[in-house]
Amino acid sequence: MAAELTDEGLIRMDRLPMADDRGEGYAILRAAGPVVRSDTGYLVTTRELAEHVFKNPETFSSQKAFDTLGSPVPLVPIAFDPPHHTRYRRLLQPFFTPRAAAAMEQAVRDKVVAIIDTVTGRGSCDVVAELARPIPAAVFLALFGMPEHDLDRLIAWREVIIQMADLSGSGEAPPEVMRSAGGLYAYVAAHVAECRAGRAGGLLRDLFESDSADEPFTDEEAIGLCFLFVLAGTESVTNALSLMFAKLAARPELRRRLAEDPSAIPVAVEEMLRIDPANAVVPRVATKDVVLEGVHIPAGATVGVAVGAANRDPEELDDPDAFDPSREYNNLTWGSGPHRCVGVHLARTQLRVVLEEWHRRIPEYRLAPGARPQVVWPTGVIGINSVPVVFPAAS
């Protein structure tokens, strides 16, 4: 490991080479060992240890790991551990089944088609600004029964909170984050009140009406659920799409394969999520002193699951750094254990539909001349702010 990447024996996360290609950075983490000390805490880099941390919330807590995200209320259900988390998952699960995601697919597809149709005649667009960013936010508004005309300010609040908040669990949210979080809170709280009074529809009203007498869903919990979807759910889909389009725009053989055979898209999506996950490191907090692979981790320390490194574990995969769009592998990008992403089926639907409809209409495209899509690093959630592409304009 290069000396310039360390500081007093700790890996400096901000010095990892991640801007253009995360593979080298993840290789450095794996080479440092299964348990790595960094300037943001401890990191586990293997599939086995990642599963262990994810599946043992009594030792590696999610409860406090997201305190610095900028939410004025705990994020439901990720900012809770069992047994409270178990209750939330039981209440929410009926709304996020594969069947529920399938019921939303046509609405997602209609929105995607409408956006793509606005750019086909231009011969160029920024895929992130014009597609990847608005789609998941619009899906959130539709799912929760909020007006579509609120899209722009929802995105504005989200961008400030995500881009400026410290996702390592080791600091405090900046004032700009708290101001945006306050605006989002007021907006969401007003909608929750409308749903509680029966004057607005969507998931929250359905959730309130499905309450059992012994475990009603509170207004604060509903606000926390909205914050989770705005800050984690929509941003994860946006960032995943940004990384995917950056890769596809630079690989003509891959995009042509997806255009010619849409049935290949679901597996290719999972491989792109494996090789380049948006959630590079998922934080947890040790609830007690623990030893992992001979490394003592004190109670209260941040323990990050280095998902990007664990997804490339050579003990699990042949040639793990190679991108193989036909590889079928249960990657860790969606998490594991009790905190596995509750919206995984809806997220997969969005990713698949976007790629299907884009490649149906715009099969040939490439990066705009001079474009060099890069991620902003360090960050807890990896994404690319701009992916400008050019393509033959439709007549």
Side-chain angles (χ1 to χ4, degrees), residues 28-62:
I28 289 170
L29 291 179
R30 291 201 314 272
V35 182
V36 178
R37 289 193 65 198
S38 78
D39 56 343
T40 63
Y42 296 83
L43 299 171
V44 297
T45 66
T46 67
R47 171 77 189 229
E48 181 180 5
L49 286 179
E51 293 270 17
H52 177 71
V53 171
F54 277 143
K55 292 180 178 179
N56 289 277
E58 70 282 356
T59 303
F60 304 99
S61 172
S62 188

Side-chain angles (χ1 to χ4, degrees), residues 297-356:
I297 299 174
T302 298
V303 182
V305 177
V307 174
N311 274 349
R312 299 175 181 231
D313 189 339
E315 295 296 318
E316 288 279 318
L317 295 167
D318 294 328
D319 201 5
D321 292 318
F323 174 75
D324 178 359
S326 62
R327 189 199 308 260
E328 296 191 43
Y329 177 69
N330 181 26
N331 64 72
L332 287 170
T333 301
W334 303 109
S336 184
H339 288 94
R340 188 171 187 267
C341 176
V342 68
V344 58
H345 302 298
L346 182 58
R348 278 182 170 141
T349 296
Q350 293 177 73
L351 297 174
R352 172 176 56 81
V353 169
V354 167
L355 294 189
E356 285 175 355

Side-chain angles (χ1 to χ4, degrees), residues 257-258 262-273 323-329:
R257 174 177 180 172
L258 301 187
S263 69
I265 288 176
V267 174
V269 162
E270 293 299 314
E271 177 68 350
M272 286 189 278
L273 290 169
F323 174 75
D324 178 359
S326 62
R327 189 199 308 260
E328 296 191 43
Y329 177 69

